[in-house]
Amino acid sequence: MGGSTPSGLVATGDPSERAINAAAKVSPAVVSIINEQLFGFGLGGQKLEGDDAKEGEGILREAGVGSGVIIKKKDGKAYIVTNYHVVAGAQKVRAVLTNGEIREASVVGEDQITDLAVLAIDDKGIDTVAEVGDSSALRKAEFVMAIGNPLGLGESITMGVVSVIEEVVPVSLNQNGVIDWEQEVIRVDAAINQGNSGGPLIDLNGRVVGINSMKIADFGVESIGYAIPINKAMPVLEELMAQGFVSRPYLGVYTLDLQQYWRQQDMGDLGDLFGEDPEGWLGEEEGSGSGAEDSEGAAEQGKDGEEPDGGEGEAGGTSSDLKLPDNVLAGVIVLEAVGPALKAGLQFNDVIVDFDGHAIGTTMELRKYLYSKKKIGDSIEISYYRDGELKKTKLKLGESVAEE
């Protein structure tokens, strides 16, 4: 006697068969990414890397691996999506196709804030382009798969479920322990390991619903991975393909959080007490404090292209005689002003505390206000302290441009 489907439920077929078909559909569009950087030796035989090696002789060597997925073909090029941190610092980027062929790739555009980048390769022989899905249609407990190149071992597929549809994860863009941005992500329990970064998260229909980017790698934590929702990624990717960078309102300040400054000053007092720099904190970059690590091993997402620097941990460059009223406990110290900020009169050691009547206590709040509340060309009123006196200035926000 035949069975029947209970009222209200939809028969979807064998999930394993759907997974096999979905993986087969997308896999030909998945590539491995090789980040090659210049390594050399300077005077005295010391090892030089990246920009330091450019001045002398050196050789290109593999500095990191990641993954990517082809989402578009146009005018003889195939466009690959990956993470910014996968290609950061690369002198040369190569893409490895599923048939093992290695092709040189060019960086079309990259964006550190969203941790996204677009590469291009010759489209000869590229027959499969991944279908872009709808991340807003995802449901809790829905099966998803992460495809990529973990540990450089070649293509791998892991499966899990959507744990959280929308989660906000604090990150340190410059990997200096300062939480200066928040990334909206999908949380999954599919295994995401080093090398999976930049690869696609797909649903059982074989559609890309996310770009795998981070995991929590703390001791005792298992199966907590994150992917950038494809609906959030696509507007950025389209802009990167069109102009190579993302246009955002531009203020023009290098900054340091006041709270971080006070913390480093306190550690300086402790260093005086013990006659040394405790744990190497004075004027140095601190260890990651975000708790969320990308699958290349850190929560770094790169330099903010809008604020020329978003809290680099350069307290050593800030005057130790900062003058503020006793009740001012939060704000953003200006380490350097350029562009619109310089024209408006902002200077070294000014402490920004307010935008348009909204309190600004951290670099993250500064960025979030600019990017969510303002547009290029808008005016903004800035309240700041200089030598203990509250001042105000107005300026017109500029437009971010691609870095040389």
Side-chain angles (χ1 to χ4, degrees):
M1 184 169 64
S4 61
T5 301
S7 176
L9 298 181
V10 179
T12 57
D14 184 354
S16 63
E17 281 298 322
R18 291 187 65 197
I20 292 169
N21 293 333
K25 175 182 176 181
V26 179
S27 289
V30 179
V31 301
S32 298
I33 304 297
I34 301 174
N35 178 325
E36 295 185 350
Q37 298 182 19
L38 197 62
F39 290 78
F41 295 90
L43 297 176
Q46 73 270 28
K47 186 177 180 181
L48 303 176
E49 301 178 11
D51 292 339
D52 293 331
K54 291 179 182 178
E55 300 298 328
E57 295 182 355
I59 59 174
L60 285 172
R61 292 182 180 175
E62 182 179 304
V65 295
S67 305
V69 59
I70 299 169
I71 64 162
K72 183 178 182 179
K73 284 174 58 176
K74 183 179 181 181
D75 299 331
K77 294 182 179 180
Y79 292 91
I80 302 168
V81 176
T82 189
N83 287 139
Y84 169 84
H85 71 260
V86 169
V87 296
Q91 271 80 46
K92 182 175 287 188
V93 180
R94 299 182 188 274
V96 185
L97 307 183
T98 51
N99 62 7
E101 182 184 352
I102 301 176
R103 296 190 185 182
E104 186 168 337
S106 60
V107 178
V108 175
E110 51 191 2
D111 183 54
Q112 296 177 346
I113 287 288
T114 55
D115 193 26
L116 291 169
V118 176
L119 312 177
I121 59 174
D122 188 284
D123 74 352
K124 184 178 180 181
I126 303 295
D127 299 319
T128 303
V129 174
E131 180 183 356
V132 174
D134 180 6
S135 55
S136 69
L138 288 173
R139 297 172 294 173
K140 289 183 179 180
E142 180 174 346
F143 283 111
V144 288
M145 292 180 287
I147 307 180
N149 176 32
L151 308 178
L153 298 175
E155 182 182 280
S156 174
I157 301 169
T158 56
M159 189 170 186
V161 298
V162 175
S163 302
V164 179
I165 298 171
E166 292 183 4
E167 183 167 345
V168 176
V169 177
V171 294
S172 175
L173 291 176
N174 298 293
Q175 199 186 351
N176 59 5
V178 179
I179 304 304
D180 50 11
W181 191 244
E182 292 179 335
Q183 184 76 283
E184 185 177 315
V185 291
I186 304 164
R187 191 208 295 180
V188 299
D189 71 351
I192 295 176
N193 293 293
Q194 182 178 353
N196 272 118
S197 288
L201 184 74
I202 67 171
D203 61 19
L204 292 189
N205 294 310
R207 296 175 298 204
V208 178
V209 292
I211 303 298
N212 302 316
S213 61
M214 295 182 288
K215 65 180 290 186
I216 291 184
D218 290 344
F219 179 76
V221 177
E222 298 290 343
S223 301
I224 297 183
Y226 298 107
I228 303 166
I230 198 63
N231 289 21
K232 297 289 184 181
M234 284 308 299
V236 174
L237 298 173
E238 293 290 352
E239 201 163 352
L240 291 178
M241 286 186 280
Q243 63 183 21
F245 64 98
V246 177
S247 295
R248 293 190 180 95
Y250 176 64
L251 177 60
V253 287
Y254 290 77
T255 65
L256 176 70
D257 288 358
L258 183 60
Q259 292 176 347
Q260 183 191 9
Y261 168 76
W262 291 131
R263 184 168 65 250
Q264 292 178 336
Q265 290 297 308
D266 289 342
M267 293 308 298
D269 293 340
L270 186 60
D272 291 340
L273 178 63
F274 288 99
E276 60 183 9
D277 179 2
E279 301 186 21
W281 276 29
L282 298 184
E284 301 292 335
E285 290 189 350
E286 301 173 25
S288 174
S290 71
E293 296 195 1
D294 66 43
S295 51
E296 301 306 313
E300 180 179 7
Q301 292 194 328
K303 182 180 177 183
D304 181 356
E306 314 319 314
E307 271 49 64
D309 205 337
E312 287 277 344
E314 299 177 12
T318 305
S319 173
S320 60
D321 60 351
L322 197 65
K323 296 178 180 178
L324 287 170
D326 292 340
N327 63 337
V328 178
L329 303 176
V332 178
I333 304 170
V334 176
L335 299 181
E336 183 181 356
V338 297
L342 180 61
K343 291 180 180 179
L346 288 176
Q347 300 176 8
F348 170 73
N349 260 12
D350 288 346
V351 179
I352 296 171
V353 294
D354 187 286
F355 282 168
D356 296 331
H358 298 269
I360 300 296
T362 65
T363 297
M364 180 172 68
E365 292 175 358
L366 180 150
R367 284 197 182 103
K368 289 182 70 175
Y369 185 83
L370 286 179
Y371 301 161
S372 63
K373 303 295 184 181
K374 290 294 182 178
K375 298 179 180 179
I376 296 165
D378 283 355
S379 62
I380 185 171
E381 183 179 68
I382 303 173
S383 298
Y384 63 96
Y385 282 94
R386 178 181 297 170
D387 295 327
E389 183 182 349
L390 183 63
K391 296 178 177 291
K392 294 181 183 290
T393 187
K394 286 188 177 181
L395 60 82
K396 184 177 180 180
L397 294 169
E399 178 181 5
S400 62
V401 296
E403 294 184 13
E404 294 295 333

